[in-house]
Amino acid sequence: MKFIEVHLGSYVISHGYDKNNKEIIVKVPAEKFGKKLIEVSRIKSISEKYILTDYVDGRWIYWEYKEDFETIKNSLVK
């Protein structure tokens, strides 16, 4: 397993959709960024603001991160 170290902050959890096709989300604010190791295989997408990861039970988590996009990208293509 390959991991990357990232400073993560606030995040949004997507639990899926309700019967009206409205996304069910929970926003979790963080006061500061903290170090976390993320298994690379869990990363589904990266934007300039979020790293999208999957979770064991089918949820999706959008993490805010402190590093710049190029740093994250370069750590993944090694």
Side-chain angles (χ1 to χ4, degrees):
M1 289 184 277
K2 181 180 177 189
F3 291 84
I4 63 167
E5 182 179 300
V6 186
H7 290 86
L8 300 175
S10 301
Y11 56 97
V12 176
I13 304 170
S14 173
H15 293 276
Y17 295 87
D18 67 13
K19 65 181 180 180
N20 297 315
N21 205 29
K22 183 176 187 246
E23 190 172 21
I24 303 166
I25 61 170
V26 175
K27 295 180 181 180
V28 182
E31 291 184 26
K32 61 181 183 175
F33 290 92
K35 281 186 192 178
K36 184 174 177 79
L37 290 175
I38 301 176
E39 186 179 349
V40 171
S41 66
R42 289 186 52 213
I43 297 172
K44 303 306 173 196
S45 177
I46 297 175
S47 69
E48 291 183 3
K49 185 173 181 178
Y50 293 107
I51 296 175
L52 173 61
T53 62
D54 62 2
Y55 201 69
V56 179
D57 60 1
R59 293 180 287 174
W60 298 92
I61 303 176
Y62 296 86
W63 296 92
E64 287 185 353
Y65 62 93
K66 185 177 181 180
E67 291 78 5
D68 64 76
F69 179 82
E70 290 298 318
T71 299
I72 299 296
K73 182 179 87 171
N74 291 335
S75 68
L76 291 171
V77 295
K78 288 183 182 178

